[in-house]
Amino acid sequence: VRPLLGARVVLCVLGGALVLYGLQGVLRLPVPDLVGVLWWGALGVVLHDFVWAPVVLALARASERLGAWTRPLQVGALLAVPALLATLPTVLGRPHVTPEPGLLPQSYLLGVLVVVGVGVAAAALTRVLDARRGAQARASSPSRSTNASEPQA
Amino acid sequence: VPDPKPSSDASGGHERRTPSVLSRRGFLVVVGASAALTTVLTAGQSVEALKDLALLAPRLPGVGPQGLPVNVTARAAGVEEAARSGTWGLEVTGRAKSVTLSLEDILEMPQHTAELPIACVEGWSSSASWRGVRLKDVVALVGDAPDGVRVESLQEGSRYRSSLVDPAHLEDDLTLLALELNGDVLSLDHGYPLRLIAPARPGVMQTKWLSSVVVL
């Protein structure tokens, strides 16, 4: 428990330092636009809390009902979906009417495959770890019914 | 996300069951990895050293005309002909008087250099060296502008064809009407013959292909 507490303190200090760094950056802009920054931040909170979070929670509830076989899917989706959501909207939906120098300079299919591949690899790893943990549990306590499993993910 | 409840469901409980959702710790680890993945994939749009990792970035620092990305080309904006025409002039309209400056007039004014980024709301950001005249020097030719100015582009029919420059931006020494980018004459796609470049403004407000400056 101790190292965990230490890690939390370090994370909190780091997070606080990043917030302060951001604030001083905003305040030191040559032309501070605090109202604009506040709007931007508020919109982010609204979108996150009232649109994105409910969707994720509904999916989590659905996975919980479907059973443990969804765990690898959860891990894969947690990795790949945010990465694709954060990047693909600026790549897709481009009007490719006029060629633009410097626009879309790389192979995006490859990029998507790499990101999806990371998700699939993480899902496979989860599947293997879950199976191994299940086997260990069965071997070590064949008769007892213990449910306090804490996967290390 | 709460820790998974030990499931006491129908299947008997002879064996230790894997919970159907991740543990809190597992969830945090995966979310941390996810944040790291997204950061690695996007940071290269602004940090040149990481650009090889920005696999899904629509633009990369250093890739574009004159080594700088553009968002709208001259062709897409429909300004190629107007921008190249030999009759181009910058109309500067004050509250009491107006002047029209030719390219030569502007070149004869004191030139300044500023290192400023194009920071696009798409998420990419790329710095460059700009050279030109200070906007406030140009505006001073027609008097005071206590409420700032509006700059307008040759471009027609775009919601970004003009932008407002508030008094603080107007007074800033770094706010330039740029003629040069990275040591060369502005390319057509970067706003030739003249564009606005100012600190702390989104890229869409760094108006290109200027045709007029109007005191508010």
Side-chain angles (χ1 to χ4, degrees), chain B residues 109-123:
Chain B
M109 295 176 68
Q111 305 288 310
H112 301 274
T113 303
E115 192 77 28
L116 289 172
I118 297 286
C120 186
V121 290
E122 277 178 353

Side-chain angles (χ1 to χ4, degrees), chain B residues 8 13-14 24 33 59 99 106 113 118 120 128 138-139 141 159 165 167 169 178 190 193 205:
Chain B
S8 54
H14 295 304
R24 175 159 49 196
R59 295 170 210 278
V99 295
I106 297 171
T113 303
I118 297 286
C120 186
V138 170
V139 172
L141 298 174
R159 49 190 285 228
V165 183
H169 271 114
H190 278 301
M205 291 170 72

Side-chain angles (χ1 to χ4, degrees), chain B residues 29-186:
Chain B
V29 168
V30 177
V31 165
S34 178
L37 177 65
T38 301
T39 304
V40 163
L41 283 172
T42 51
Q45 294 184 84
S46 307
V47 183
E48 193 146 3
L50 298 177
K51 79 174 185 183
D52 288 344
L53 298 174
L55 295 176
L56 292 169
R59 295 170 210 278
L60 294 170
V63 180
Q66 294 178 289
L68 188 70
V70 289
N71 199 319
V72 177
T73 58
R75 177 171 299 178
V79 298
E80 284 174 304
E81 204 173 313
R84 283 209 192 97
S85 96
T87 58
W88 179 87
L90 182 72
E91 272 181 59
V92 188
T93 309
R95 290 180 173 180
K97 66 170 183 172
S98 304
V99 295
T100 300
L101 303 174
S102 68
L103 208 48
E104 291 71 32
D105 295 334
I106 297 171
L107 280 164
E108 279 169 15
M109 295 176 68
Q111 305 288 310
H112 301 274
T113 303
E115 192 77 28
L116 289 172
I118 297 286
C120 186
V121 290
E122 277 178 353
W124 58 270
S125 176
S126 199
S127 272
S129 173
W130 308 89
R131 189 164 173 77
V133 292
R134 286 187 178 140
L135 176 58
K136 63 179 173 185
D137 291 350
V138 170
V139 172
L141 298 174
V142 296
D144 288 337
D147 297 330
V149 300
R150 184 177 69 243
V151 294
E152 295 174 349
S153 171
L154 294 169
Q155 190 180 5
E156 283 168 17
S158 158
R159 49 190 285 228
Y160 301 118
R161 67 167 301 275
S162 73
S163 66
L164 298 179
V165 183
D166 57 55
H169 271 114
L170 176 58
E171 284 309 309
D172 200 292
D173 282 349
L174 294 175
T175 299
L176 300 182
L177 299 184
L179 297 150
E180 289 182 17
L181 162 57
N182 290 336
D184 290 315
V185 174
L186 275 182

